[in-house]
Each structure stands twice: as C-alpha cells, then as structure tokens.
Amino acid sequence: MHKVIFDTDPGVDDAMALLFLHHHPEIDLIGITSVFGNATIETTTRNALFLKREWQIDAPVAKGAGETFIPHRVTHAPPTFIHGDDGLGNIGVPEVTDVEPDPRPAHRFIVDMVRAHPGEVTLVAVGRMTNLANALKEDPEIVSLVREVVIMGGAFDTNGNVTPAAEANIHGDPEAADIVMTATWPVVVVGLDVTLKTVMTRQALADIRDAAGKRAQLLFDLSQFYIKFYEGRVQDGMVVHDSCACVYVVAPELFTTRSGPVRVVCGGIADGQTIQKPDGKGFGPSDWDGDLPSQKVCVDVDADAVLKLIHDTIVAIKED
Ligand code: BDR
Ligand code: CA
C-alpha cells in the first residue's frame, strides 16, 4: 500500500489523476494539497474541494501556495485557454461552502503527515513545486522521512510546452523545482518526454464514462474544453500528463528511467529548463561536481499499458 499526498493544481488532467488515485486499490490517499498554477490558488483549492465532494473522497484538502517560493517572482499567467477560466473546463464549478479545508497550510500539512508516517509517504506533485519547497524550508529533516517524491514536470530530451526550454510546472516556479530536485530525497521526474506520448483518445474517455457511471461522467464533461485545446496538437484526444505520475507510483515497470543529478535553470532565456547529468557520463570540472543526489528521470513509457491501467482502475468501481 502506498500512502500518497497529492499536490495538485486542478486542472483537468489533475482531476483524472485524482480519480485514479482515489480508485486504485494500492493507494491510500491521505491528503490533497493545492497549489496555484492552472488557476489561482483560490480556484484550484475550490476545485479540489469540489472534486472531493463530488467523488466522495475522504482525504482532507489543505490550501497551499498562491505565489512562488521567492515572493513576487515573474512567472506565466494561468493557462485559461487550456483548462478554462474555472480551471475545470468551464463546466461552471459552483462555490463549495459545505466542505471545509484542513486548517493547516499545505506545507505544514505535508510536514505533519510525513512525520506521522515516517518512511511511508509518497509525495505526488503535479503542479508547481512550491509547496514541496516550502515544506523543505520549514522542516529540512523530512528528506530522510519521505518514501519517494514523484513529480510531473520538466522536459529533458524534448522541448518544453511554455517555452522551447521549459515545461509549465517547472517554469511556474523554477527555484522551488531546483530545491526539490537537489534535495537528498528520492525523486522520480515524469516529464514531457513520456507524458506527450500518453494520449487518451476521445473514444477511450467515452468508454470510461460508459463503464464507470456518474463519477466518470463528470470527468468526461470537464475534459471537453481541454480536448478542444489539443485539437490539431495530438491525434483526437488529450495528453494525460498528471495521471502518468500517479501510474508510476503503482506501476514503475511501465517506465524507462535514467539516473543522474537534475538541476533547473533559474532565470534568463532558458528559465525553468530541466537538465540531467546522466550518471557515469564524464564532464569537465564544473558546478555539477560534488554531492548532488542522483534522481530518476523517465525517458520512455509503455503508453498503451499506462492508458489501460487508467481505464481499468477508474471503471473498476462503478457508481450510478
Ligand atoms: C502540466 O501543466 C499543467 O497544465 C498540467 O496540469 C500538468 O500538470 C503539464 O505541463
Ligand atoms: Ca497539474
């Protein structure tokens, strides 16, 4: 069993990832922490509470960061053209007043849960890395208490999606991401190199809806705006970025990884670019020498198997 805290900026693909975690029998979802990104922190937190209510998820929602690790840093605006003005595909998400968030800020919630379950908690982070960096700042000792950190973010042997150099979750807070990648906890990076290969077709999403009932109807509805964004970009469907990171937790054998330290470019034309120094490859003396921890970067994926696991997991629990 994997105890998971899901750090997220819902977000359409975040919503599918949340439903996957909620349904998977080997996942014990112990918390949801919100972060700004696909929308403002008020909106992503409201969306997390909305999905918790609609999908009857027990895990508490703790509100996270609404600004970058370094206050007032310049970053890109919320991508409303991808996720809609409401962050969930313009379905008209209602205000949620009957589900209270956890009273703690997300970074404090993360620290408390990690300390309560030493060695057991996997952090799955699929938004900007700000909450994780804030948690490390608050309590650096958690690096030895976390089981694994699995993040959706970055682009290594391919272009970014915000700039040619940078992927959105990293570009949105590069300093936070660099802190997370260089901390001495085990990190697995699930970036665009593999997520862009993992495209769920419209028909496959409709099949999930037909087989899984009401919960999946909501997922289907909120995904339509996002699918429209991907028209002309992928073949008839949508990229399920965040679900890939969740699938890694339960089925790492579906991914090929490369080991080596990872750094994030902070500033300039390549702001937010992720670079790995592969283990065993020789370079001249540089700032890359020294004690940087070796992390895992996903470089390939069995996309069909990932998509099948998402399907099978979500349809396994039917609710009308
Ligand atoms: C990432 O950015 C967000 O738009 C998605 O939810 C995903 O986490 C993809 O670059
Ligand atoms: Ca996300």
Short mmCIF file of all heavy atoms in Angstrom, two decimals, residues 15 56 89-90 99 103-105 125 127 135 163 174 179 191 229 277 279 297:
data_model
loop_
_atom_site.label_atom_id
_atom_site.label_comp_id
_atom_site.label_asym_id
_atom_site.label_seq_id
_atom_site.Cartn_x
_atom_site.Cartn_y
_atom_site.Cartn_z
N ALA A 15 -7.56 16.38 -12.45
CA ALA A 15 -8.79 15.75 -11.98
C ALA A 15 -8.79 14.26 -12.31
O ALA A 15 -9.14 13.43 -11.45
CB ALA A 15 -10.00 16.44 -12.63
N GLN A 56 -16.66 11.92 -3.39
CA GLN A 56 -16.70 11.36 -2.03
C GLN A 56 -15.33 10.83 -1.59
O GLN A 56 -15.18 9.67 -1.20
CB GLN A 56 -17.77 10.27 -1.95
CG GLN A 56 -19.15 10.85 -2.15
CD GLN A 56 -20.20 9.81 -2.51
OE1 GLN A 56 -19.90 8.65 -2.70
NE2 GLN A 56 -21.44 10.24 -2.61
N GLY A 89 -12.38 23.22 -17.14
CA GLY A 89 -13.02 23.13 -18.44
C GLY A 89 -14.30 23.92 -18.60
O GLY A 89 -15.14 23.57 -19.44
N ASN A 90 -14.44 25.00 -17.79
CA ASN A 90 -15.62 25.87 -17.88
C ASN A 90 -16.94 25.12 -17.75
O ASN A 90 -17.91 25.39 -18.46
CB ASN A 90 -15.61 26.66 -19.21
CG ASN A 90 -14.58 27.79 -19.16
OD1 ASN A 90 -14.10 28.15 -18.09
ND2 ASN A 90 -14.23 28.34 -20.31
N VAL A 99 -17.77 22.00 2.40
CA VAL A 99 -16.60 21.16 2.69
C VAL A 99 -15.48 22.08 3.14
O VAL A 99 -15.02 22.93 2.37
CB VAL A 99 -16.14 20.36 1.45
CG1 VAL A 99 -15.06 19.34 1.85
CG2 VAL A 99 -17.29 19.68 0.75
N PRO A 103 -7.28 23.07 8.34
CA PRO A 103 -6.87 24.42 8.80
C PRO A 103 -5.42 24.74 8.52
O PRO A 103 -5.02 25.91 8.54
CB PRO A 103 -7.15 24.37 10.31
CG PRO A 103 -7.23 22.93 10.67
CD PRO A 103 -7.69 22.20 9.43
N ARG A 104 -4.59 23.73 8.28
CA ARG A 104 -3.15 23.97 8.08
C ARG A 104 -2.83 24.37 6.65
O ARG A 104 -3.45 23.90 5.71
CB ARG A 104 -2.35 22.71 8.42
CG ARG A 104 -2.37 22.34 9.87
CD ARG A 104 -1.92 20.91 10.09
NE ARG A 104 -2.95 19.95 9.68
CZ ARG A 104 -2.90 18.65 9.88
NH1 ARG A 104 -1.85 18.12 10.48
NH2 ARG A 104 -3.88 17.85 9.51
N PRO A 105 -1.81 25.23 6.47
CA PRO A 105 -1.33 25.45 5.11
C PRO A 105 -0.69 24.16 4.58
O PRO A 105 -0.22 23.33 5.35
CB PRO A 105 -0.28 26.56 5.27
CG PRO A 105 0.13 26.51 6.70
CD PRO A 105 -1.03 25.97 7.48
N ALA A 125 3.53 15.15 -6.88
CA ALA A 125 3.36 16.59 -7.11
C ALA A 125 3.18 16.85 -8.60
O ALA A 125 4.06 16.54 -9.40
CB ALA A 125 4.57 17.35 -6.58
N GLY A 127 1.82 19.92 -9.85
CA GLY A 127 1.70 21.36 -10.13
C GLY A 127 3.08 21.97 -9.92
O GLY A 127 4.09 21.28 -9.96
N ALA A 135 7.79 23.13 2.29
CA ALA A 135 7.86 22.09 3.32
C ALA A 135 9.31 21.79 3.69
O ALA A 135 9.66 21.65 4.87
CB ALA A 135 7.15 20.82 2.84
N THR A 163 7.79 27.42 -22.95
CA THR A 163 8.81 27.98 -23.84
C THR A 163 9.51 26.79 -24.49
O THR A 163 9.31 25.65 -24.06
CB THR A 163 9.84 28.83 -23.06
OG1 THR A 163 10.71 27.93 -22.33
CG2 THR A 163 9.19 29.81 -22.11
N PRO A 174 10.73 27.95 -10.90
CA PRO A 174 11.99 27.24 -11.11
C PRO A 174 12.83 27.06 -9.84
O PRO A 174 13.42 25.99 -9.64
CB PRO A 174 12.73 28.12 -12.13
CG PRO A 174 11.65 28.87 -12.84
CD PRO A 174 10.61 29.12 -11.80
N ILE A 179 15.13 23.29 -5.80
CA ILE A 179 15.27 22.84 -4.40
C ILE A 179 14.78 21.39 -4.27
O ILE A 179 15.42 20.55 -3.63
CB ILE A 179 14.48 23.79 -3.47
CG1 ILE A 179 15.19 25.13 -3.37
CG2 ILE A 179 14.26 23.16 -2.10
CD1 ILE A 179 14.36 26.22 -2.72
N GLY A 191 8.25 13.65 -16.94
CA GLY A 191 8.13 14.89 -17.69
C GLY A 191 7.52 14.70 -19.07
O GLY A 191 7.00 13.63 -19.41
N PHE A 229 -8.55 22.10 -26.75
CA PHE A 229 -7.22 22.71 -26.82
C PHE A 229 -6.25 21.81 -27.59
O PHE A 229 -5.41 22.29 -28.35
CB PHE A 229 -6.67 22.98 -25.41
CG PHE A 229 -5.18 23.26 -25.40
CD1 PHE A 229 -4.70 24.51 -25.79
CD2 PHE A 229 -4.27 22.27 -25.02
CE1 PHE A 229 -3.32 24.76 -25.81
CE2 PHE A 229 -2.90 22.52 -25.05
CZ PHE A 229 -2.43 23.77 -25.44
N LYS A 277 22.38 15.42 -15.53
CA LYS A 277 23.74 14.94 -15.79
C LYS A 277 23.70 13.42 -15.61
O LYS A 277 23.71 12.93 -14.48
CB LYS A 277 24.72 15.57 -14.79
CG LYS A 277 26.15 15.07 -14.92
CD LYS A 277 26.97 15.55 -13.72
CE LYS A 277 28.39 15.04 -13.81
NZ LYS A 277 29.10 15.18 -12.52
N ASP A 279 24.29 9.69 -14.85
CA ASP A 279 25.33 9.01 -14.07
C ASP A 279 26.28 8.28 -15.02
O ASP A 279 25.85 7.70 -16.03
CB ASP A 279 24.69 7.98 -13.13
CG ASP A 279 24.04 8.65 -11.92
OD1 ASP A 279 24.40 9.80 -11.61
OD2 ASP A 279 23.17 8.00 -11.30
N VAL A 297 14.93 10.12 -13.98
CA VAL A 297 14.14 10.84 -14.98
C VAL A 297 13.54 9.81 -15.94
O VAL A 297 14.26 8.94 -16.45
CB VAL A 297 15.05 11.83 -15.76
CG1 VAL A 297 14.35 12.34 -17.01
CG2 VAL A 297 15.47 12.98 -14.87
#
